Amino acid sequence: MDVAAADHLLTTTRSVRKRLDVSRPVDPAVIERCIEIALQAPTGSNAQGWSFVVVTDAAKRKGLAGLYKRAFGLYAGNTEMRPQYSADDLRAQQMPRVLDSATWLATHLHEIPVHVIPCIEGRIENAGPLAQASVYGSILPAAWSFMLALRPRGLGTAWTTLHLMFEQEAAAILGLPATVTQAALLPVAHVKGSDFKPAKRLPARRLTHWNTWGTHR
Ligand SMILES: Cc1cc2nc3c(=O)[nH]c(=O)nc-3n(C[C@H](O)[C@H](O)[C@H](O)COP(=O)(O)O)c2cc1C
């Protein structure tokens, strides 16, 4: 395996919002291929209770985007819904750019040609930590693989969850059975340009604990 190519893919797959090309249609066969790749991810007990709902219908995308926009308005207008950092923290410095990009997405989501909703069988409202980790852990790796698979095909997306503030309304639009949990909403489109770079993140050493919490190398 080409380590440099794999590292490049893993370190430069960004949340793409403003650079999603709303004017170019997406080939359904490419979406199907990326889902096929995603299904190589692990699932708890090899249960494979996953599903990907692919929405191209304009009225349904408009419905989902309406829910998303309402949720984004509540999120953006309420600082208590977002983690707060001191002014010198890297994450505080990145926040204005992320919010600007996220605002664009909230305004244009209905125009993005494909919305993909990764779903998993099971509900965890009343479940303990093992069941919660197992249910979400059985769809999130596949969803991220799907995002990675889009990248070399010239497509991009951003992980989003805000529409889940109105989860039941979204489930009605999608015709989901009551036993199914939505994990995200991935707006997919061709990407303008390809010069993505690694993001600035908190240092790995600070976040790596050797043998006991708080022991760093
Ligand atoms: C669980 C989760 C939920 C997220 N929800 C949203 C969302 O609703 N809307 C959005 O625009 N971005 C959302 N994001 C994307 C993050 O804002 C994004 O990953 C972060 O800004 C870092 O940018 P990068 O992925 O380009 O490094 C979410 C990411 C995760 C992991």
Side-chain angles (χ1 to χ4, degrees), residues 19 151 192-197:
R19 286 168 65 178
R151 181 88 195 289
K192 298 180 201 162
S194 58
D195 54 328
F196 294 101
K197 297 184 183 68

Side-chain angles (χ1 to χ4, degrees), residues 170-192:
I173 291 171
L174 302 171
L176 297 187
T179 53
V180 164
T181 296
Q182 304 167 59
L185 189 165
L186 310 176
V188 179
H190 283 276
V191 168
K192 298 180 201 162

Side-chain angles (χ1 to χ4, degrees), residues 13-15 17 68 98 102 105 158-163 199 201:
T13 301
R14 297 266 69 78
S15 296
R17 302 184 186 90
Y68 186 92
V98 171
L105 183 65
W159 193 287
T160 85
T161 49
L162 276 172
H163 81 289
R201 295 288 203 234

Side-chain angles (χ1 to χ4, degrees), residues 28-179:
V30 177
I31 298 291
E32 283 168 351
R33 175 65 187 137
C34 291
I35 292 172
E36 212 167 63
I37 291 167
L39 298 188
Q40 293 298 321
T43 50
S45 306
N46 193 28
Q48 301 181 44
W50 42 26
S51 293
F52 287 74
V53 183
V54 181
V55 182
T56 56
D57 178 83
K60 286 185 190 283
R61 283 186 288 126
K62 194 173 166 201
L64 291 172
L67 298 176
Y68 186 92
K69 201 170 177 184
R70 255 164 71 202
F72 183 77
L74 294 169
Y75 170 83
N78 182 355
T79 48
E80 280 172 22
M81 287 187 74
R82 299 195 296 275
Q84 302 300 313
Y85 307 108
S86 61
D88 60 343
D89 189 297
L90 170 71
R91 292 163 293 183
Q93 290 156 16
Q94 291 173 338
M95 190 50 90
R97 190 177 47 78
V98 171
L99 269 183
D100 177 59
S101 169
T103 302
W104 184 92
L105 183 65
T107 313
H108 293 272
L109 184 57
H110 61 289
E111 299 168 39
I112 312 293
V114 182
H115 295 179
V116 176
I117 297 90
C119 297
I120 185 77
E121 183 62 42
R123 301 290 308 184
I124 52 139
E125 285 89 337
N126 304 311
L130 173 60
Q132 291 182 30
S134 300
V135 168
Y136 280 117
S138 294
I139 187 59
L140 302 189
W144 180 237
S145 289
F146 173 77
M147 292 174 70
L148 293 171
L150 293 174
R151 181 88 195 289
R153 293 167 171 82
L155 296 162
T157 185
W159 193 287
T160 85
T161 49
L162 276 172
H163 81 289
L164 294 173
M165 224 182 263
F166 306 109
E167 186 211 12
Q168 289 309 310
E169 287 96 322
I173 291 171
L174 302 171
L176 297 187
T179 53

